[in-house]
Amino acid sequence: MIKALFFDIDGTLVSFATHAIPQTTIEAIAAAKAKGIRIFIATGRPAVIINNLSALQDRGLIDGYITMNGGYCFVGEEVIYKSAIPAADVQRLARISAEQNFPCIFVSEHDICVCQPDEMVKKIFNDFLKVDIIPEKTPEEAIGQEIFQMTPFITLEQEQVILPQLPGCEAGRWFPAFADITAKGNTKQKGIDEIINHFGIRLEETMAFGDGGNDVSMLRHAAIGVAMGNAVDEVKEHANYITTSVDEDGVANALRHFSII
């Protein structure tokens, strides 16, 4: 019996085309919640830029959040897990990004900023993801506090050179233009474990939905992993079930397929 549903945001709950949650998804999640099933968010976004879930939040449908790809998890006002990136790795990436002049976003517990921003940052975060303008800071200003996630705008080839220089870190991608870097061991899989431990839910009672590379760990880990129809092939390969796309009632269709609703 499924007791907990975990949802990625972008491309899973929220359409890239409309920047909104489809009405069928809202209704399906509300129906699951009415049956006593817990609803959780599992996203690469930090809380400060989760700006597209009001259709669920205003209805009180969300029970907790895995943010920053598992590096920071909270339920209401209670932080149930957080794991900062080692300071030496933060300093090293800040130096590398400044030397090579590529943009890098740094996320602390409650703030977000960007160093060396370029047009790609605006194109993706402001225009595509509809996030407010991210404040620009110097590397020295950006890393003056604990950092939980770093997002360098680098290619996969650059990542393969840079990541070994950050021994306390691991990286995930859900968009080709950048990598999300967290402390080693922090993935959405880790976030699921922290959430279900907090609520006393067993792993075999979980279902997870995702579409991007950073969702693979939780799709493999949950009892049932559902890939959206718009997911990349790598994600689909690790799913137990492939539903239709976010714009074709994918969440609702999967919940009906498994008789959750």
Side-chain angles (χ1 to χ4, degrees), residues 26-138:
I26 298 168
E27 293 169 358
I29 290 175
K33 176 81 169 178
K35 293 178 65 174
I37 297 171
R38 299 277 190 177
I39 309 298
F40 301 104
I41 300 302
T43 181
R45 292 189 184 222
V48 69
I49 60 169
I50 296 178
N51 60 353
N52 50 5
L53 297 182
S54 59
L56 302 179
Q57 294 166 326
D58 293 349
R59 292 168 172 80
L61 297 178
I62 301 174
D63 291 290
Y65 296 79
I66 298 166
T67 67
M68 297 191 243
N69 292 301
Y72 196 91
C73 306
F74 60 94
V75 175
E77 298 297 317
E78 180 184 1
V79 178
I80 64 169
Y81 175 77
K82 62 179 180 178
S83 176
I85 298 170
D89 289 349
V90 173
Q91 293 162 5
R92 191 166 293 115
L93 184 59
R95 176 179 55 77
I96 293 170
S97 67
E99 289 174 352
Q100 299 185 16
N101 197 36
F102 57 75
C104 189
I105 294 171
F106 293 91
V107 187
S108 63
E109 188 163 14
H110 301 295
D111 296 298
I112 186 170
C113 66
V114 61
C115 300
Q116 299 90 229
D118 64 8
E119 193 60 29
M120 184 63 75
V121 176
K122 178 182 182 300
K123 180 179 178 182
I124 295 174
F125 276 80
N126 306 143
D127 301 339
F128 184 56
L129 297 178
K130 302 302 181 184
V131 171
D132 291 338
I133 299 296
I134 298 174
E136 180 180 355
K137 291 186 179 180
T138 66

Side-chain angles (χ1 to χ4, degrees), residues 9 22 29 42 77 91 96-97 102 110 116 126 138 145 162 165 167 173 181 197-199 207 210 224 240 246 256:
I9 296 178
I29 290 175
E77 298 297 317
Q91 293 162 5
I96 293 170
S97 67
F102 57 75
H110 301 295
Q116 299 90 229
N126 306 143
T138 66
Q145 52 192 320
I162 292 171
Q165 301 178 59
R173 283 179 181 261
I181 295 176
N197 180 64
H198 179 80
F199 282 92
M207 178 184 289
I224 300 173
N240 301 105
V246 60
R256 280 194 290 266

Side-chain angles (χ1 to χ4, degrees), residues 1-7 28-40 61-63 201 205-207 255 259-261:
M1 181 179 177
I2 297 299
K3 294 185 179 178
L5 302 175
F6 293 85
F7 295 98
I29 290 175
K33 176 81 169 178
K35 293 178 65 174
I37 297 171
R38 299 277 190 177
I39 309 298
F40 301 104
L61 297 178
I62 301 174
D63 291 290
I201 296 168
E205 298 170 327
T206 62
M207 178 184 289
L255 292 178
S259 301
I260 305 299
I261 59 173

Side-chain angles (χ1 to χ4, degrees), residues 24-25 27-29 209 243 249-257 261:
T24 57
T25 299
E27 293 169 358
I29 290 175
F209 291 72
T243 187
D249 308 328
V251 169
N253 288 338
L255 292 178
R256 280 194 290 266
H257 173 82
I261 59 173

Side-chain angles (χ1 to χ4, degrees), residues 146-162:
E146 277 192 322
I147 298 298
F148 291 85
Q149 184 163 274
M150 306 184 290
T151 302
F153 282 66
I154 53 176
T155 64
L156 185 58
E157 291 72 26
Q158 287 176 296
E159 177 189 326
Q160 290 168 347
V161 174
I162 292 171

